[in-house]
Structures are given as structure tokens and as C-alpha cells.
Amino acid sequence: MLEQYIEESKYIVVLTGAGMSTESNLPDFRGENGLWRNKKPSKVGSTFSLRFHKKDFYEFYRERIQGLQEVQPNAGHDILAKWEKEGKVKAIITQNVDRLHHKAGSQNIYELHGNLATLRCTKCHTEYPATRYLEKEGQICVCGKFIRTNVVLFGENLPQDQLDGARAELQKADLLIILGTSLQVSPANTFAKVAKKQGAKVVIVNLEETIKDKFADEVVNGIKISEVLVATDKKLQKK
Ligand code: NAD
């Protein structure tokens, strides 16, 4: 029972993945309608693509940025923000680049894979809002060089400050709630084991089983995140 773990914990850290945002109509990577079903990650979201397939790179991210313009946080994001205000949740570590935790009002967020809110020139490093990609020739900087997204591409290191911050939060956690990630991507795929090793409880909520379920004290499969969080919140309010 997630509500019981929450009640018994003093320092709750949440790790989220693309499944957190599917209920906001953003496709995940590996789920049923995932983004990678038709496109190879190595072709579009990689350093290789940035160097050799700029058109594909630009078109892929332009489409994703366009898709983000109308997107709103779902009930799951809202409850995490509420739990932070109530002092229950201390930090959110996310692999998502959609900024929906920010939009919902969460404050202490670590973005392991960057975000799609801003862009930067590959040459002069001038920063642009993501909507620049929606303009005609929006991928070209005033200096004439290519503008890239501020997401971590396949083949790049994670931002050290975000990773250090996330690891520091994890060290303090007595409960790690993992939501909507297949836990296949490093380093997030190590967090359940790390938390468990230091004595924290681990709860995984994911439609499908994950390869790290063995480290969890409780696994909730087959129910959508928002349904689990809304039901848990109701139970917590009744207590
Ligand atoms: P993933 O696609 O590998 O796994 C998502 C998991 O969430 C799947 O196992 C799926 O069954 C589950 N899921 C989907 N909808 C759910 C729901 N409503 N309730 C419960 N579970 C649900 O995603 P991942 O593990 O986060 O993979 C990491 C990569 O995905 C990262 O590089 C991240 O940047 C990228 N990504 C981010 C976004 C975003 O920002 N919204 C979207 C797509 C991909």
C-alpha cells in the first residue's frame, strides 16, 4: 500500500520517466505507442545525428517542441506538486524533458536528461527559447551555425550538477517512488538498487513489469500512475 509507505517515511524522493507524461498525451519511448517504434534513436536523438543528419535532428525535435506547446500536466504531476507543498515529497528526479513537473508547480527537480524548454547554438552557445525551432529556418543561429536542443543526446554525458544533486537526494531518501520508467537507461536504472542498499523502501508504479522490480518492496503494474496517485492521495486525506 503506497499510502502506508508514505505515512511511514520522512524523506520521499520520486523518480519519473516518460510514463509519467503519457496521460498528458506525450508518447513514451518504449511503451505501446512509443516514439522509438518508428524511429531509430541513433538516427535522431544522438550526437551522430547532430553532426551528420541535422535535418532529421531538427525535424524530430521541432515536432516534439510543437507537441509540447499545448500540453498540460496531468493529475499525477499535480499530486506530486501537492505532496511537495505538504512536505511529503522532498525531490523529484526526472528523465523527462517536457518540463511538466515545473508546470505543475513542483520545485525541487533534477532533470537528468536536460529539457526541451531552451536551445543553444552549437558554435557561439547563444541560448534561445524552444519556440525558435517553430520559426522558418529556426535552426540557424544569428551567427549562421546550427542551433541544437538542450536535451542530453545519446552519446553525451549527463549534466553533472543535476546528477550530483539527484544522487545527494537519493542518499537522504527513506522512500523512493519510481513512476513510469522502464528502468533501462543508466544511471536511473541503478537508483532502485542504490536506495534499497542504503535502507530505503522502494515502490515501483509502472504499467508493465520492469527489469528492476526485484529491488522493490512493492510493485504496482497494470494501473495508470494518475489513478494510483489520486487513490493514494484520497486515502492519505482520510487518515
Ligand atoms: P520508457 O518509454 O522506456 O518507459 C516508460 C514506461 O512507462 C513503460 O514501461 C510504460 O509501460 C510505462 N507507462 C506508460 N504510461 C504509463 C502510465 N500512464 N502509468 C504507468 N506506467 C506507464 O521511458 P523511460 O524509462 O523514461 O526512458 C527514458 C527516456 O525517455 C529518457 O531518455 C527520456 O528523456 C525519454 N523520454 C521523455 C519523454 C518526456 O519528457 N515526456 C517522452 C519520451 C521519452
Side-chain angles (χ1 to χ4, degrees):
M1 296 296 110
L2 180 55
E3 67 275 10
Q4 211 163 320
Y5 286 108
I6 290 176
E7 281 194 315
E8 289 166 3
S9 305
K10 291 195 164 53
Y11 208 101
I12 302 174
V13 173
V14 179
L15 169 67
T16 65
M20 184 79 220
S21 298
T22 54
E23 292 174 76
S24 293
N25 291 325
L26 289 177
D28 58 13
F29 271 4
R30 298 176 186 83
E32 216 177 303
N33 300 309
L35 280 172
W36 299 131
R37 296 278 142 165
N38 309 320
K39 290 167 180 142
K40 276 192 176 165
S42 54
K43 260 209 149 185
V44 281
S46 66
T47 48
F48 183 80
S49 164
L50 179 60
R51 280 190 73 186
F52 301 112
H53 298 282
K54 286 189 170 56
K55 190 169 175 282
D56 287 347
F57 181 97
Y58 169 54
E59 282 173 2
F60 176 69
Y61 283 111
R62 184 182 57 191
E63 201 181 306
R64 290 187 70 190
I65 289 166
Q66 178 74 60
L68 280 180
Q69 298 310 300
E70 304 296 321
V71 166
Q72 295 302 326
N74 61 58
H77 294 103
D78 291 342
I79 284 183
L80 293 181
K82 175 174 175 266
W83 287 353
E84 185 179 346
K85 281 194 191 87
E86 293 171 356
K88 293 186 181 79
V89 165
K90 303 295 184 199
I92 294 178
I93 303 168
T94 189
Q95 300 168 90
N96 294 345
V97 295
D98 55 34
R99 283 272 156 132
L100 289 181
H101 288 302
H102 293 79
K103 225 170 173 177
S106 292
Q107 302 281 325
N108 194 24
I109 304 167
Y110 297 87
E111 295 180 309
L112 295 180
H113 296 165
N115 62 70
L116 274 178
T118 55
L119 311 167
R120 69 175 187 273
C121 175
T122 49
K123 176 78 176 164
C124 71
H125 308 297
T126 297
E127 292 256 346
Y128 294 93
T131 46
R132 168 88 182 193
Y133 254 30
L134 306 180
E135 296 168 13
K136 196 163 179 276
E137 298 297 314
Q139 78 278 33
I140 307 297
C141 181
V142 286
C143 78
K145 295 294 179 187
F146 189 75
I147 299 171
R148 60 163 288 173
T149 51
N150 272 331
V151 296
V152 178
L153 304 175
F154 285 85
E156 286 184 325
N157 293 329
L158 303 195
Q160 199 58 47
D161 60 331
Q162 300 298 299
L163 189 54
D164 289 347
R167 287 200 166 124
E169 295 292 355
L170 212 54
Q171 288 303 317
K172 291 185 262 181
D174 56 4
L175 173 61
L176 175 66
I177 304 174
I178 301 178
L179 303 172
T181 165
S182 59
L183 292 172
Q184 292 183 40
V185 177
S186 173
N189 62 359
T190 64
F191 288 180
K193 188 179 179 183
V194 169
K196 197 71 214 140
K197 217 171 163 188
Q198 70 180 40
K201 301 287 184 200
V202 176
V203 176
I204 297 180
V205 180
N206 203 63
L207 282 180
E208 315 157 327
E209 292 176 357
T210 77
I211 47 174
K212 303 295 173 180
D213 286 355
K214 59 180 176 286
F215 298 111
D217 296 275
E218 177 151 335
V219 175
V220 182
N221 290 145
I223 312 177
K224 288 180 179 173
I225 293 164
S226 70
E227 288 172 27
V228 174
L229 297 191
V230 167
T232 302
D233 190 53
K234 277 191 186 137
K235 287 180 197 156
L236 286 170
Q237 282 177 36
K238 277 190 194 149
K239 297 218 173 188

